[in-house]
Amino acid sequence: MEQWKGKVAIVTGASAGIGEAIVVKLVKYGVHVVALARREVKLKELAESLNGKGNNHGTIHTKVCDVTDEQAVKNVFSWVDSTLGGVSILINNAGIARVSSLLNGKLEDWQEMMNLNVLALNVCSREAYQSMTRNKIDGHIIQVNSVAGHNITPYFAMKMYNASKHAVGVLCEGLRHELQLVGSKIKVSSISPGGVSTDLLLGILERSREPNSTVQVNNIKILQTEDVANAVITTLATPPTVLIAELTIIANGSTIQAHFQPSDAVVKNLLNS
């Protein structure tokens, strides 16, 4: 991580959960972070908890920004260019999941997922590339994807979320291809965690416990937000000649693809065989 000390990172969805954990970890490693989110109060609390930690730590700048607003994103990157000398790291973390059926779901739910998980992610990536190129920075773009982007979630009414995360993988490879065509050394990585202890997942779990719920989620093992932040550091710490294109992390004792559980009798036979 020494190569990033004193450099500038932009982290989206930074006010809580995975984004907050990533900001904390980057600042600890001496990276100056521009934290983007919509919740101003949460951003201020985060900044107050991190700034002034010491000379070896990075600083944090907060910007209230809805990343689905293209002009707001452009304004942030323009400010970073003029004030901080350009961005070296972009962590596209902002994302949302809505439980919404394909047969009777709401268009606004589908649009919200696609606008944030796909379009906003690519707008931020585009602006990061342009900033890095203007400032002659061989930077790193990391997309926080999901195992849901590599398989079909078996739970009902989650398929539009699957589609949005599958799109992230396609965009990562597409970005790498276009960067190759223009001879850029900018890296693009995807980090795909399994279930993480965040408000997003906890909300889905809570809904699964409601009567007549369309989502059934039982006995899953989940990661902590710091686990994902550590994966970001691992990805960034690679030398210039190495790229972690895809890093999938899951809680020990879980699986990437959800499976139907066998009967107790079958499990007992397996244990006794």
Side-chain angles (χ1 to χ4, degrees):
M1 284 294 293
E2 194 63 30
Q3 71 268 34
W4 302 114
K5 191 171 183 178
K7 305 298 185 182
V8 176
I10 293 178
V11 180
T12 70
S15 62
I18 294 171
E20 179 182 5
I22 292 171
V23 170
V24 170
K25 192 69 69 171
L26 289 173
V27 168
K28 179 181 177 181
Y29 278 94
V31 179
H32 303 307
V33 178
V34 180
L36 308 187
R38 292 179 295 180
R39 295 184 288 182
E40 185 174 12
V41 172
K42 297 288 289 184
L43 284 174
K44 286 182 177 179
E45 290 174 353
L46 179 59
E48 289 170 359
S49 71
L50 292 176
N51 280 333
K53 287 290 186 180
N55 294 332
N56 292 326
H57 284 67
T59 56
I60 176 173
H61 307 271
T62 62
K63 291 287 182 180
V64 177
C65 179
D66 178 355
V67 292
T68 64
D69 181 339
E70 182 183 18
Q71 189 57 54
V73 171
K74 287 184 174 182
N75 291 343
V76 167
F77 278 90
S78 177
W79 179 86
V80 170
D81 274 1
S82 61
T83 308
L84 303 177
V87 63
S88 294
I89 300 166
L90 169 65
I91 313 292
N92 267 317
N93 165 72
I96 194 168
R98 291 281 184 250
V99 178
S100 186
S101 151
L102 301 180
L103 296 182
N104 61 7
K106 297 177 180 177
L107 176 61
E108 51 263 40
D109 287 339
W110 305 340
Q111 288 175 326
E112 189 174 17
M113 284 186 278
M114 289 298 176
N115 286 341
L116 182 54
N117 298 357
V118 181
L119 298 180
L121 173 142
N122 204 62
V123 167
C124 290
S125 299
R126 181 193 68 195
E127 295 304 310
Y129 160 72
Q130 293 180 3
S131 173
M132 292 171 185
T133 303
R134 280 193 298 268
N135 294 285
K136 296 179 172 56
I137 295 170
D138 294 333
H140 202 146
I141 298 170
I142 296 179
Q143 322 289 29
V144 178
N145 199 341
S146 168
V147 293
H150 301 275
N151 58 53
I152 301 297
T153 305
Y155 312 118
F156 178 69
M158 293 294 292
K159 302 308 183 290
M160 190 63 74
Y161 177 70
N162 277 134
S164 72
K165 288 301 187 177
H166 274 266
V168 172
V170 174
L171 293 176
C172 283
E173 185 65 5
L175 284 169
R176 285 189 286 265
H177 181 220
E178 293 193 16
L179 289 167
Q180 179 192 60
L181 291 175
V182 298
S184 175
K185 294 181 180 178
I186 295 169
K187 295 182 179 183
V188 178
S189 300
S190 168
I191 296 177
S192 298
V196 183
S197 181
T198 63
D199 291 342
L200 187 152
L201 178 61
L202 296 177
I204 293 174
L205 292 177
E206 187 64 30
R207 181 164 178 176
S208 75
R209 298 185 186 101
E210 296 175 358
N212 303 318
S213 171
T214 59
V215 181
Q216 295 299 323
V217 185
N218 299 309
N219 301 319
I220 66 168
K221 293 179 173 63
I222 59 177
L223 298 162
Q224 299 303 307
T225 56
E226 187 178 9
D227 297 325
V228 185
N230 285 332
V232 168
I233 298 303
T234 297
T235 303
L236 288 171
T238 52
T241 54
V242 175
L243 169 67
I244 295 177
E246 170 61 43
L247 179 58
T248 302
I249 59 171
I250 59 176
N252 193 20
S254 62
T255 59
I256 294 174
Q257 174 70 56
H259 300 274
F260 289 115
Q261 295 302 107
S263 67
D264 290 342
V266 170
V267 174
K268 186 176 180 179
N269 287 334
L270 287 172
L271 293 173
N272 293 329
S273 63

